[in-house]
Amino acid sequence: MDLNELMTPDGMGNFSSEQRDTFVTDATQIRQMGRIVRARLAQTEIDGDKPWSARRRAAKVAGRFDRVAKLLEKAAAECEAIDATYGREVVALPQRRAAALEKKEQRRERRALTAKSAHALTQRTLAEAAQGLAADPRMAGQIPAMPQTQPLYVSPQAPTLPTAANDPLPQIHELYKGVG
């Protein structure tokens, strides 16, 4: 097979299907040969054999045939995987990259719109807060001054509490007479 033809999607598909079919056919034939060998060796006794020795010997030899058949079936599966991997990693790669780039661009645009709307919302909220703070429209944008008031001081004398347990409690305004 020409390597230039092999590097096309159809060429890789044809190659892998031919090899797969060959390996599957070979595995089937080897498995049949293993069964035939097992049957013949199980019936062939060698001088000095104990009971069941021929069958054990036949199973050991036929097991090698089965192992070869399994390996050929795995090789057929790997040939099929060659075509799938080639299609995914070489043929479809440009489309996948373009789709991923498009998704990335869409995410970037959505994030930019979200950031822009959040910025606009913050600006509007700050403007409304500034309007609410400014009682005089001429003072919009300025921080209003805090009114200057004298602090209230608490009387340095401790309030007198009832001494006896049965005395009534005084009213709160009686405790702080003359304060302020």
Side-chain angles (χ1 to χ4, degrees), residues 9 86-103:
Y86 179 77
R88 183 180 64 246
E89 297 296 327
V90 176
V91 175
L93 184 62
Q95 293 90 1
R96 284 198 344 257
R97 282 186 178 165
L101 186 62
E102 185 178 336
K103 281 184 179 180

Side-chain angles (χ1 to χ4, degrees), residues 134-148:
D136 188 5
R138 291 173 289 156
M139 295 185 66
Q142 296 179 2
I143 299 175
M146 293 296 293
Q148 296 293 328

